[in-house]
Structure formats: structure tokens, C-alpha cells
Amino acid sequence: MRILGIETSCDDTSVALFDSESGVAANLVSSQVDLHGHFGGVVPELASRAHLVNLLPLVDFLLDGQEVGLKDLDGVAVTAGPGLIGALLVGLSTGKALCMAADLPLVGIHHIEGHILANGLTAEMVLPAVVLVVSGGHTEIVHMSGIGAYERLGATLDDAAGEAFDKTAKLLGLPYPGGPHIDRLAGRGTPGRFRFPRPLLQESRTVFSFSGLKTAVRQIVDGLPRPLTEQDQADVAWELQEAIVDCLCHRLFQAARRRKTPAVYLAGGVAANGRLRARVTEEAARQGLHFVPPQPVFCTDNAAMIAYAGWHHLRAGHSDPLSLDSFSRAPLSSWK
Ligand code: KG4
Ligand code: ZN
């Protein structure tokens, strides 16, 4: 089966072709970072307009490059939500139009399911598993017993982990999105120069809270002489990353212990973080749990994960009517 994937839930326009015989044939991402970077975050209206301009040329470029026509496809998978509603509507309407034109089945994908299943593009998933979903908009722990069988075990009470990276990076004067910059700078940081809180670490519930970290970082940064040196930035980045990774690892392995799963996984943009991947790899080995880090290109928003999730649904006989609506919010476990 050949599935075209479309992902426009936030600020990346992405299209991909998944072939069930050979895997991901192509995965194109047109980034809007330059457009939004100036504002320090994503401007929803600008994101929708840029998707509108970029999406169809990107689909043409993908199909031409693969020498594939619409008639060679077996279905179109599109992110239906959650995300920015205007941005989602551009992707979903385009997907519907392609399906209508070529008489193809449409399948709407929950963005978080796409992130989780991205692990299957790297290696076959071992289930049941506990998955830590960490992105710019989500931080949650999900128990997965099969495709389509997800139970949310807990989530952040306020900011997502990616937001904590991005907001504190902004305080350090780093460009948007800050996560990759913190990751890079932290490698040169001095352990122990600063100390930030690990919020809710003593709490027995599966919860996270990252909004307080921003205040802790601001207090430290405000007390440093200006301009900040690169060493100051690196030292703050080290401790910030360590505080976030401590909280994420603690909850992930606590949930795996409680649910007695043989495997743990990471999903979402923050899963590209080098320190998080290394710490989870180390701890999983110590506890005898299966863990393979997902390829970084499939961690941040991409359409390959959407096409791949679409293939799972289509081969199980699930498709959606062209009346399918997009949605800005809905937990994965309650979305059908
Ligand atoms: O999954 P994603 O591309 O979009 C959402 O669904 O939100 O995640 C984007 C988030 C941003 O907050 C970005 O800073 C973060 O992922 N991120 C990282 C890294 N790469 C991306 N955070 C920490 N370290 C990284 N290497
Ligand atoms: Zn995402």
C-alpha cells in the first residue's frame, strides 16, 4: 500500500509517502521557523496562510520526485487534530480534495498517535509499553497495548516540556524554537553552577509541572551581569535540561514499574533531545526494559508518522467520511 501523509498541525508543512513494502519513500518538511522566529513563537494566522501557500506545491514536488501519481496511491492520511485549528483545516481540506479527485479513502490521524507510532518507523515496537510524549504542546504518559489502544496515565498540569525549553531559551536570548539550542549549549555547560527545582518529583500521581522553571530561570538570569556570556547560557542550559530530564525520566520509569510493561518509548519533538535519549537508554538498560530511541527526524513534526499511522488504520479497514472535522483539542484515548 502507498499512503500519502499530510501534517499541518502547527508551523511545519510536511508531506510524506509511506510504502508498506519499502517504508518511508520520502518525507518533506517545509519549516516556517524564519516566519515565526521574529515573533518569538508561532503566530496561528501566519501559519495557516503559509500552509495554504506551501502545501499543494509540496505535494506536487513529492509525487513528481517519486514518479507517483494520485492514481497510484491507496489512501491519504491527514492530521485531524489536536493543533491550531486554521492550520489543521488547510491540511484536512487539501487531503479531502485529493481523495475526492482520485476517489481515495481518507483517514484522519490524531497527532499524538502519529508521534507515538513514529517509533515503529525506527524498529518494530514491543508492546505493551509506556510512552512519554513530549512536544511543544504536550507532555503526557500513555500506556499503549496495541495500535489504537491508548490510555493516558497522566500529563502536565501547566506548560509542556517543549514550552519550558522554548520559554527559558527566550530568556537566554536564544532563537525560537529554543529546544535544539539548549540541547547544543548544554553540552558545554558546567554541572552544579546553578540549581533549579524539580517540580512535583515527590508527588505520587503521574503529573508534571514546568511553568515554575521559567520563574526560577528568570531569577537566576536577572542576577547575572549583561550581556550574558556563552558560558552563562551554557551553564543555565545544562541545569535546565537536567531538571526537565530528571522529571521526565522519573515519571516514565515510575509508570513502567507500576504497569509492569516490558518496554518504554519516547515520542514528540523533545524526544530528539540528546540528554533525554541518553538518560532513558541508560536507565532502561539498568532496569532490563526494551528501549530504542526514535530517529530524530521522526521526533519533530513530520508527515511520515502520519502516513505510517494512516497505513495501520487503512489496513485494519478504518477510513473516515469526507465530512470529518478537524479539532483543536481532544485526548488521544477519547478520540475515535
Ligand atoms: O513535536 P513537535 O515538533 O511539535 C509539537 O507537536 O509541539 O515539538 C516541538 C518542540 C519544541 O518545543 C522544540 O523546542 C522541542 O520540540 N525540541 C527539542 C529538541 N528538538 C525539538 N527540545 C529539546 N531538545 C531538542 N533537541
Ligand atoms: Zn508534534
Side-chain angles (χ1 to χ4, degrees):
M1 279 175 109
R2 276 186 182 141
I3 312 298
L4 173 69
I6 297 178
E7 155 62 42
T8 62
S9 66
C10 191
D11 60 338
D12 287 319
T13 314
S14 182
V15 299
L17 186 66
F18 176 78
D19 186 325
S20 55
E21 299 285 308
S22 51
V24 179
N27 179 40
L28 306 180
V29 182
S30 166
S31 169
Q32 299 178 9
V33 158
D34 293 344
L35 184 65
H36 302 286
H38 175 67
F39 300 97
V42 177
V43 182
E45 183 59 26
L46 292 183
S48 319
R49 287 167 189 243
H51 287 311
L52 205 53
V53 171
N54 296 332
L55 183 54
L56 271 179
L58 208 58
V59 170
D60 281 341
F61 186 73
L62 174 92
L63 296 180
D64 289 350
Q66 294 300 308
E67 297 182 356
V68 164
L70 282 181
K71 62 177 181 346
D72 302 316
L73 298 175
D74 296 287
V76 179
V78 187
T79 306
L84 303 173
I85 201 72
L88 289 161
L89 273 170
V90 175
L92 188 57
S93 314
T94 305
K96 286 178 182 178
L98 295 173
C99 287
M100 198 181 270
D103 195 22
L104 292 168
L106 171 81
V107 58
I109 301 297
H110 193 292
H111 183 73
I112 297 300
E113 181 176 41
H115 274 307
I116 292 173
L117 293 185
N119 282 284
L121 290 172
T122 302
E124 197 174 334
M125 291 182 78
V126 170
L127 299 174
V130 166
V131 189
L132 172 65
V133 182
V134 267
S135 70
H138 301 268
T139 295
E140 56 192 63
I141 295 209
V142 174
H143 179 269
M144 174 180 179
S145 49
I147 306 284
Y150 312 103
E151 180 190 349
R152 182 152 91 164
L153 303 180
T156 181
L157 300 176
D158 41 56
D159 287 354
E163 266 179 293
F165 275 109
D166 296 342
K167 287 179 177 173
T168 44
K170 199 169 171 181
L171 294 173
L172 292 173
L174 300 171
Y176 177 85
H181 297 282
I182 298 274
D183 191 351
R184 180 179 46 81
L185 273 169
R188 299 200 288 277
T190 317
R193 177 171 167 204
F194 301 116
R195 179 75 186 166
F196 297 141
R198 272 72 174 153
L200 303 182
L201 213 59
Q202 307 311 322
E203 176 71 50
S204 75
R205 289 177 302 153
T206 305
V207 284
F208 302 93
S209 170
F210 293 114
S211 64
L213 269 175
K214 208 175 43 209
T215 315
V217 173
R218 179 177 285 126
Q219 280 168 353
I220 294 286
V221 169
D222 284 352
L224 294 171
R226 296 304 165 118
L228 296 182
T229 65
E230 197 170 308
Q231 195 57 51
D232 291 335
Q233 290 178 317
D235 294 348
V236 171
W238 160 269
E239 176 57 11
L240 170 79
Q241 179 174 269
E242 215 53 21
I244 294 174
V245 170
D246 277 349
C247 297
L248 296 177
C249 283
H250 175 76
R251 291 281 170 239
L252 173 64
F253 288 100
Q254 181 186 61
R257 263 193 316 278
R258 286 180 176 167
R259 298 304 291 258
K260 297 187 174 55
T261 58
V264 292
Y265 287 101
L266 295 177
V270 180
N273 182 267
R275 182 72 177 153
L276 177 62
R277 296 160 73 89
R279 288 271 306 273
V280 173
T281 302
E282 209 175 282
E283 191 56 29
R286 198 173 11 248
Q287 299 200 19
L289 297 173
H290 176 87
F291 172 65
V292 177
Q295 290 176 63
V297 65
F298 298 136
C299 291
T300 44
D301 286 349
N302 67 89
M305 66 186 193
I306 302 303
Y308 179 63
W311 169 65
H312 276 292
H313 287 289
L314 286 170
R315 74 172 179 158
H318 305 149
S319 63
D320 288 303
L322 293 182
S323 56
L324 178 74
D325 230 340
S326 52
F327 57 94
S328 57
R329 284 165 182 268
L332 175 56
S333 41
S334 72
W335 193 73
K336 285 282 171 282

